[in-house]
Amino acid sequence: MVKAKDVHKRFGRLEVLKGISLQVAPGEVMCLIGPSGSGKSTLLRCVNHLEKINRGRLWVDGKLVGYKEAGGKLYELPEPQIARHRADVGMVFQRFNLFPHMTAIQNVIEAPIRVKKTRKREALTRGQELLERVGLADKVDEYPARLSGGQQQRVAIARALAMDPKLMLFDEVTSALDPELVKEVLDVMRELARMGMTMIVVTHEMGFARDVADEVVFMDEGTVVERGKPADVLDSPREERTKRFLGLVLAH
């Protein structure tokens, strides 16, 4: 579903990704862990072409992300085509990014109606199902300001699912939440994983990574330091850098 080959990304002189190669099979969950500034969120944004890569190749579902290749050269696709590809990828951010002037249900149905030209009645039915699925059946007509952080984040997940994505990207979606609200969001993500959604999750929640990931990737300074099954990476890491990081994280 996702394949990255020698992906490089720089902002000015700062090289943030230094040759990342990895792949995620359909139905798999990959958790990216590592210290702040290691390039995890940037990699996620590159998968969605919210950031353009400087070198390498990225594919989602067999298609090059943001580019077409001809004669060994890459040509950036026009924006409407990029937007069509992006519709297959759901992304949930650390900050909920809900439209404040729209109710929960309006937030969820906006993209299917505008982007996919779904009929309003269909979109409403599906939107209500999705809000029920994330445990918010009683909040369809509430505005974001009247919802807790955890509830807002669950609306954001329902909104991403409304586009029927092939892939879901989660960028530290619990890090802005109070500790008691974290579980309700992780439970929704656990359920998605159980139902076979392909997911790449940037997270500091090691318990979640241990329970849900098929593969854990530890990144530092723009490189993949270590990767493997959760039990191998989290319980018996081989690399000193991984051991140091986990020592600090698990001590809290």
Side-chain angles (χ1 to χ4, degrees):
M1 185 59 75
V2 182
K3 183 178 178 189
K5 188 176 172 191
D6 192 33
V7 168
H8 289 253
K9 172 66 186 172
R10 67 165 51 84
F11 294 105
R13 296 176 65 176
L14 178 67
E15 197 171 17
V16 182
L17 298 176
K18 302 171 183 172
I20 301 287
S21 295
L22 44 79
Q23 37 197 355
V24 186
E28 272 191 354
V29 178
M30 176 182 280
C31 283
L32 302 177
I33 64 168
S36 295
S38 56
K40 308 179 301 293
S41 295
T42 300
L43 177 60
L44 222 54
R45 291 173 67 83
C46 289
V47 171
N48 213 4
H49 203 62
L50 292 173
E51 299 290 354
K52 298 174 188 180
I53 62 178
N54 298 108
R55 206 167 94 214
R57 302 279 190 279
L58 257 172
W59 294 266
V60 171
D61 198 24
K63 294 186 191 124
L64 269 177
V65 173
Y67 298 91
K68 68 172 195 284
E69 192 164 0
K73 277 191 169 160
L74 288 184
Y75 298 92
E76 191 164 15
L77 293 170
E79 193 52 51
Q81 224 170 323
I82 291 171
R84 273 204 299 281
H85 286 186
R86 203 178 274 144
D88 288 335
V89 182
M91 186 155 184
V92 185
F93 300 86
Q94 184 175 351
R95 296 280 167 202
F96 326 118
N97 294 353
L98 297 177
F99 297 116
H101 60 291
M102 292 184 181
T103 62
I105 189 73
Q106 288 169 334
N107 266 282
V108 171
I109 67 174
E110 173 76 0
I113 290 171
R114 278 189 177 228
V115 180
K116 289 201 157 175
K117 308 293 183 235
T118 307
R119 282 201 194 95
K120 187 167 183 184
R121 189 182 301 167
E122 260 174 64
L124 277 168
T125 304
R126 172 94 171 116
Q128 282 162 336
E129 280 168 14
L130 286 168
L131 285 170
E132 190 171 336
R133 187 162 148 197
V134 299
L136 294 172
D138 58 337
K139 303 288 184 191
V140 290
D141 295 322
E142 293 287 3
Y143 287 91
R146 304 213 21 176
L147 299 172
S148 70
Q151 289 168 336
Q152 289 186 58
Q153 197 56 292
R154 284 184 283 153
V155 173
I157 293 172
R159 178 177 63 178
L161 291 173
M163 294 294 283
D164 291 318
K166 297 171 178 173
L167 167 69
M168 285 285 283
L169 308 175
F170 293 92
D171 189 9
E172 297 194 19
V173 295
T174 56
S175 59
L177 300 179
D178 294 333
E180 66 268 25
L181 301 177
V182 168
K183 182 181 180 301
E184 63 189 52
V185 174
L186 293 180
D187 283 348
V188 170
M189 292 165 66
R190 279 194 170 89
E191 180 62 14
L192 285 179
R194 205 177 57 73
M195 293 175 74
M197 175 62 77
T198 312
M199 293 160 50
I200 304 179
V201 183
V202 172
T203 187
H204 291 294
E205 301 290 338
M206 297 303 149
F208 174 82
R210 180 179 276 112
D211 293 349
V212 177
D214 295 287
E215 184 171 40
V216 171
V217 174
F218 173 66
M219 286 178 64
D220 189 30
E221 295 185 350
T223 63
V224 171
V225 176
E226 188 161 350
R227 56 190 297 178
K229 297 266 175 253
D232 298 337
V233 175
L234 299 176
D235 299 330
S236 41
R238 294 186 308 276
E239 302 293 329
E240 275 311 311
R241 183 67 191 92
T242 319
K243 288 176 189 169
R244 276 207 315 280
F245 172 75
L246 289 169
L248 288 168
V249 170
L250 300 173
H252 288 297

